[in-house]
Amino acid sequence: MSTEIKTIEKMANTEYKYGFVTDIEADEAPKGLNEDIIRFISAKKGEPEWMTQWRLKAYRHWLTMKEPSWQNVKYSPIDYQDIVYYSAPKQKKKLNSMEEVDPKLVQTFDKLGIPLEEQKILAGVAVDAVFDSVSVATTYKEKLSELGIIFCSMSEAIKNHPDLVKKYLGSVVPYTDNFFASLNSAVFSDGSFIYIPKGVRCPMELSTYFRINAENTGQFERTLIIADEGAYVSYLEGCTAPMRDTNQLHAAVVELVALDNAQVKYSTVQNWYAGDVNGVGGIYNFVTKRGACRGKSSKISWTQVETGSAITWKYPSCILQGDNSIGEFYSVALTNNMQQADTGTKMIHIGKNTRSTIVSKGISAGRSQNSYRGLVKIGPKAEGARNFSQCDSLLLGDKCGAHTFPYLEVDNPTATVEHEATTSKIGEDQIFYLNQRGIKTEDAVNLIVNGYCKEVFKELPMEFAVEAQRLLSVSLEGSVG
Amino acid sequence: MLTVKDLYASVEEKEILKGINLKVNPGEVHAIMGPNGSGKSTLASIIAGREGYSVTNGSVTFEGKDLLSMSPEDRAREGIFLAFQYPVEIPGISNATFLKTAVNEIRKYKGLEELDAMEFLALIREKMKIVGIDQTLFSRPVNHGFSGGEKKRNEIFQLAVLDPKLAILDETDSGLDIDALKIVANGVNVFKQQSKEKAVIVVTHYQRLLDYIVPDYVHVLYNGRIVKSGTKELALELEERGYDWIKEENNIPASTK
Ligand SMILES: Nc1ncnc2c1ncn2[C@@H]1O[C@H](COP(=O)(O)OP(=O)(O)OP(=O)(O)O)[C@@H](O)[C@H]1O
Ligand SMILES: [Mg+2]
């Protein structure tokens, strides 16, 4: 105990060596990270002391950790003292009309079939009152609060629902979990908070899109979703429009909790900037996503379509604690040009008769590298647990790579675990075959890729699925033939 | 219909076709025979528009249009169909989706209305009978896990559905059992009988297929040239005597190239 205090004191003192006090009126913290910066962030957000302390604990733990290097991706070292960890949510500069928007961006919007009014919002063009995102959000909010559903930003939740936040924040992904999760716990900017009360089925898909203050959640996003007994919620993260951001490192944390008979469905479409054809300027997306099926017969499903970022490193996971609980992971990860992705899932079977399904579809094109990494762990008490995994890799051309790392730990003899894996290559021969039947190359690639991803797309909410399909074809333009 | 004039083509500096002349009129059946590696598939590939070959001389026209400047998909839409010697497997797309897309691309090109799901189903039900293709193959990915014979049969099924003007069959008979050979040949004949204009080029090593698909002309392709042309009797003679006499006639020492 006393040694612990000493270490902290020592650390606090060393930090003071840099000796500056951050001006609370400033819009932006100076570059770098120390305890002052964390206090500054917390103060800026008007957080209660317990939150500040939590952040500091996370920071102190982070200092003792090493950046992981086991993942199958390569990048130049990140200088954590060269990052600005807080800047005030700035109102994006409003443009007056679509004519002021980068024509390339508009082209992509059109290809994705995004309606004009939405394009304006995404590009930061002033919109008329009819489609004001704030008013839309307000209408949603009223409807939701009638049902007792809490859907707000994490900052609001810390102020208005401290008991829930205290109880659940860090309960699935503790601040000691991993290097990037600890960093996130110390400096997280904002994110979504959802609570669905007992027995309530959320009547609509919830998405960041319609959340007030959704803009500028920044590079360290923190999301917490709790489905109380018998509750159901489907949440959509991201959107198919290209997300440009000057922050290179993104380290988000998402925690899901499902109590008895509750169900959480979490869908992601990730389309961060991937950099140019040489990978220059792309985003590093290092995310920790985990769901806990705490209650009996609860269910958590992750569906992800990952097409963006220079580097993607994430493993949405399920801890199947409750007896008869179910975990699902459906993933399409597409890499092109110089992109790298190391993604997969962990299914941790703890309770009896727990079941999990993994369907992973990796698509590599260009000179990209795509890895699936998955762990299925069956604990000693998980009588009758079952897992089915299917990991498919599709290679477009012959300069890209696909890798599969399935790990399996079974500590209960009654468990059934099935793993299937395939690798297929689409080369000139396949494309020519389709050409010879009257199908042009671009359509041929779309046909193959969409067919290949069908099993995952059908898990996405309808509209999202259509958008995701278009997104894949835009991302693959010119990659074959 | 198809005119190949003094065609020279090479792959990676290696000359493979050395002056091919061939004229196929509407309604005709031409058989092309010749030893392994003589350039039969190369000729078929160049007509269909596969990349990787450089045509160094000559021309290929189809109904008066310059084929060589057309994309492979446009050649297909114009009515050229190639039954592949080695049909490729395409994971992910079901035969049904693939064929529906192909049918409608070709219809669009011709200015016809696209078929909806019901009309398409009716079409394939009818055509399925011709080649006796199994319903279950239809919902599987294109050629995926098909046996050698099933792949060949699937080519002829596509021929029936897409209904081109000129069908080029590259060794569609290889790897077929006797019953399948008859079914495939019958498929080609049904295609031919649809109109007097349909033309067929059959590439084969075996006279047997030509008992069922009777050619008007037989050509021997040897070392990148058509060195002999004749009627169906030529195929019988080749079956009996092999290629050595042809090689000798062309002043090339037998058994070398
Ligand atoms: N892509 C290529 N690269 C190098 N050589 C090639 C290529 N394609 C064809 N060839 C060569 O060209 C020659 C003709 O090949 P082709 O496949 O046209 O013969 P074929 O008459 O169809 O033979 P078979 O009866 O065995 O099918 C062969 O020597 C072959 O090795
Ligand atoms: Mg051949």
Side-chain angles (χ1 to χ4, degrees):
Chain A
M1 178 69 183
S2 71
T3 45
E4 201 183 323
I5 292 172
K6 266 190 197 139
T7 338
I8 295 169
E9 259 173 17
K10 214 172 110 198
M11 219 180 283
N13 286 334
T14 28
E15 247 97 68
Y16 264 97
K17 198 171 66 183
Y18 300 102
F20 66 86
V21 179
T22 312
D23 177 9
I24 189 75
E25 296 305 317
D27 272 351
E28 206 173 77
K31 270 184 187 171
L33 191 55
N34 57 49
E35 295 205 359
D36 275 347
I37 297 281
I38 289 168
R39 285 180 203 281
F40 172 77
I41 295 172
S42 200
K44 266 293 192 190
K45 300 174 82 62
E47 286 175 357
E49 184 58 20
W50 59 267
M51 196 65 240
T52 317
Q53 286 308 321
W54 196 77
R55 288 177 181 272
L56 286 169
K57 273 194 286 185
Y59 171 67
R60 286 168 196 150
H61 187 82
W62 180 73
L63 287 174
T64 68
M65 301 174 96
K66 272 212 174 72
E67 197 171 332
S69 57
W70 47 263
Q71 65 275 42
N72 191 26
V73 296
K74 289 191 188 71
Y75 58 93
S76 36
I78 299 166
D79 182 356
Y80 294 92
Q81 295 302 338
D82 194 38
I83 294 173
V84 172
Y85 288 89
Y86 179 85
S87 58
K90 280 192 201 88
Q91 199 60 27
K92 270 192 210 156
K93 191 176 152 263
K94 286 281 179 211
L95 306 174
N96 293 318
S97 74
M98 279 308 277
E99 262 121 66
E100 292 173 37
V101 179
D102 178 4
K104 254 207 156 140
L105 194 61
V106 177
Q107 246 179 34
T108 314
F109 283 153
D110 287 340
K111 280 183 197 152
L112 289 168
I114 294 171
L116 185 67
E117 287 304 314
E118 284 181 51
Q119 289 190 16
K120 285 183 180 170
I121 293 174
L122 292 165
V125 174
V127 286
D128 51 33
V130 186
F131 199 91
D132 183 306
S133 61
V134 174
S135 63
V136 172
T138 317
T139 341
Y140 272 79
K141 270 202 143 173
E142 274 167 18
K143 232 173 162 180
L144 294 175
S145 66
E146 276 168 29
L147 292 163
I149 294 172
I150 305 168
F151 180 34
C152 61
S153 71
M154 190 57 100
S155 313
E156 286 174 76
I158 291 167
K159 280 183 214 135
N160 304 333
H161 310 282
D163 293 346
L164 284 171
V165 176
K166 267 190 212 165
K167 186 167 176 191
Y168 291 107
L169 186 73
S171 76
V172 188
V173 180
Y175 64 77
T176 50
D177 193 79
N178 70 70
F179 186 82
F180 294 108
S182 294
L183 179 62
N184 174 287
S185 303
V187 302
F188 71 82
S189 30
D190 215 331
S192 298
F193 177 87
I194 297 172
Y195 173 79
I196 315 285
K198 271 184 198 170
V200 172
R201 196 184 160 86
C202 185
M204 63 189 85
E205 314 273 352
L206 298 182
S207 91
T208 28
Y209 208 79
F210 290 119
R211 204 193 65 221
I212 300 178
N213 298 333
E215 276 177 50
N216 282 297
T217 42
Q219 56 191 139
F220 300 102
E221 199 169 339
R222 185 96 198 183
T223 296
L224 175 59
I225 300 175
I226 304 139
D228 211 324
E229 290 170 23
Y232 168 88
V233 63
S234 166
Y235 180 76
L236 309 181
E237 176 204 303
C239 71
T240 52
M243 300 284 274
R244 291 199 173 241
D245 192 304
T246 47
N247 297 313
Q248 188 166 41
L249 172 67
H250 279 245
V253 171
V254 175
E255 298 177 274
L256 312 181
V257 178
L259 301 183
D260 286 357
N261 300 304
Q263 201 177 329
V264 181
K265 192 170 162 58
Y266 192 105
S267 314
T268 310
V269 171
Q270 187 262 113
N271 189 20
W272 292 103
Y273 183 52
D276 61 15
V277 282
N278 296 311
V280 176
I283 282 172
Y284 299 172
N285 190 28
F286 300 157
V287 188
T288 307
K289 288 183 168 178
R290 197 175 300 154
C293 282
R294 256 177 220 162
K296 59 176 198 292
S297 303
S298 55
K299 180 176 174 184
I300 289 179
S301 313
W302 298 100
T303 307
Q304 60 172 24
V305 176
E306 302 281 325
T307 66
S309 298
I311 304 177
T312 300
W313 184 65
K314 64 181 270 198
Y315 315 92
S317 306
C318 297
I319 301 170
L320 304 171
Q321 240 169 310
D323 290 347
N324 303 309
S325 61
I326 299 173
E328 292 174 339
F329 174 74
Y330 300 96
S331 167
V332 167
L334 179 150
T335 51
N336 198 356
N337 298 321
M338 291 298 280
Q339 280 178 279
Q340 308 173 58
D342 192 306
T343 180
T345 185
K346 285 189 253 180
M347 292 291 174
I348 314 292
H349 292 253
I350 298 171
K352 290 192 186 76
N353 295 315
T354 44
R355 277 176 287 152
S356 63
T357 306
I358 299 172
V359 177
S360 160
K361 304 277 181 176
I363 303 168
S364 342
R367 286 175 291 157
S368 68
Q369 295 295 325
N370 202 321
S371 303
Y372 167 82
R373 190 184 300 275
L375 168 67
V376 175
K377 191 180 163 77
I378 313 268
K381 297 206 178 86
E383 293 288 323
R386 273 181 289 158
N387 161 266
F388 172 75
S389 304
Q390 165 132 19
C391 302
D392 297 328
S393 309
L394 185 69
L395 299 167
L396 302 175
D398 48 19
K399 292 190 187 65
C400 49
H403 318 270
T404 333
F405 307 99
Y407 302 95
L408 192 60
E409 291 171 25
V410 181
D411 291 324
N412 188 307
T414 63
T416 345
V417 177
E418 272 180 87
H419 181 90
E420 283 176 15
T422 65
T423 302
S424 339
K425 207 179 132 182
I426 299 298
E428 285 167 15
D429 287 351
Q430 276 86 2
I431 299 298
F432 177 63
Y433 190 86
L434 295 169
N435 289 158
Q436 214 301 306
R437 302 303 187 244
I439 302 167
K440 67 170 191 278
T441 302
E442 201 184 319
D443 295 344
V445 172
N446 285 343
L447 210 54
I448 293 170
V449 167
N450 286 327
Y452 174 76
C453 300
K454 211 170 39 205
E455 274 169 276
V456 174
F457 285 163
K458 76 173 180 2
E459 297 298 325
L460 287 172
M462 184 60 177
E463 275 177 45
F464 231 37
V466 175
E467 282 185 38
Q469 277 189 20
R470 287 211 202 98
L471 178 61
L472 287 195
S473 60
V474 172
S475 310
L476 279 173
E477 240 166 45
S479 60
V480 182
Chain B
M1 179 181 249
L2 180 80
T3 311
V4 181
K5 255 195 207 141
D6 204 24
L7 185 70
Y8 282 76
S10 50
V11 174
E12 292 159 8
E13 312 285 290
K14 185 186 168 204
E15 192 159 71
I16 297 170
L17 302 185
K18 303 167 184 174
I20 301 270
N21 287 289
L22 179 68
K23 196 166 163 39
V24 179
N25 293 310
E28 289 177 354
V29 176
H30 290 243
I32 297 180
M33 305 183 80
N36 293 131
S38 57
K40 303 181 297 296
S41 294
T42 304
L43 176 62
S45 295
I46 289 174
I47 295 172
R50 187 193 281 268
E51 272 177 41
Y53 301 93
S54 41
V55 172
T56 49
N57 187 57
S59 66
V60 183
T61 55
F62 184 68
E63 297 187 315
K65 291 177 192 155
D66 175 20
L67 265 195
L68 297 179
S69 64
M70 252 184 238
S71 68
E73 60 271 21
D74 279 348
R75 300 181 200 201
R77 294 163 183 174
E78 285 287 341
I80 292 176
F81 178 94
L82 172 63
F84 286 73
Q85 181 171 5
Y86 306 106
V88 294
E89 303 196 1
I90 305 179
I93 319 179
S94 73
N95 251 321
T97 310
F98 156 63
L99 257 187
K100 182 159 183 274
T101 311
V103 165
N104 281 332
E105 284 300 328
I106 292 169
R107 289 183 67 92
K108 261 194 286 185
Y109 187 81
K110 289 182 182 160
L112 298 171
E113 219 167 284
E114 291 181 42
L115 297 185
D116 63 25
M118 294 307 285
E119 292 164 326
F120 174 70
L121 267 175
L123 173 71
I124 57 158
R125 282 231 175 81
E126 173 201 330
K127 303 294 184 185
M128 238 174 331
K129 279 182 231 144
I130 302 173
V131 278
I133 206 157
D134 200 272
Q135 185 101 37
T136 56
L137 288 188
F138 197 63
S139 50
R140 274 164 52 184
V142 180
N143 294 325
H144 196 260
F146 285 24
S147 75
E150 284 168 343
K151 283 182 186 167
K152 295 298 176 80
R153 230 193 265 206
N154 195 27
E155 294 292 288
I156 300 306
F157 174 56
Q158 292 174 33
L159 168 69
V161 174
L162 298 178
D163 193 30
K165 294 172 182 160
L166 169 67
I168 304 170
L169 314 177
D170 193 356
E171 295 193 27
T172 303
D173 54 339
S174 69
L176 291 181
D177 65 41
I178 296 158
D179 292 339
L181 182 78
K182 281 186 196 159
I183 293 170
V184 160
N186 177 56
V188 176
N189 288 328
V190 170
F191 158 74
K192 258 227 81 204
Q193 283 150 16
Q194 279 182 294
S195 105
K196 282 201 175 68
E197 307 284 294
K198 306 278 186 198
V200 181
I201 297 175
V202 198
V203 175
T204 181
H205 287 294
Y206 305 106
Q207 135 69 26
R208 202 180 51 193
L209 178 69
L210 304 180
D211 285 342
Y212 301 107
I213 306 172
V214 183
D216 301 298
Y217 301 94
V218 175
H219 310 278
V220 180
L221 185 59
Y222 177 64
N223 199 15
R225 285 188 197 92
I226 291 183
V227 292
K228 202 168 187 67
S229 296
T231 54
K232 59 177 193 273
E233 283 70 33
L234 177 58
L236 286 168
E237 195 173 357
L238 289 171
E239 177 103 331
E240 212 163 281
R241 298 174 61 189
Y243 289 112
D244 278 357
W245 63 283
I246 298 224
K247 292 178 188 173
E248 272 157 32
E249 264 181 20
N250 283 277
N251 287 333
I252 303 160
S255 307
T256 55
K257 278 208 270 173

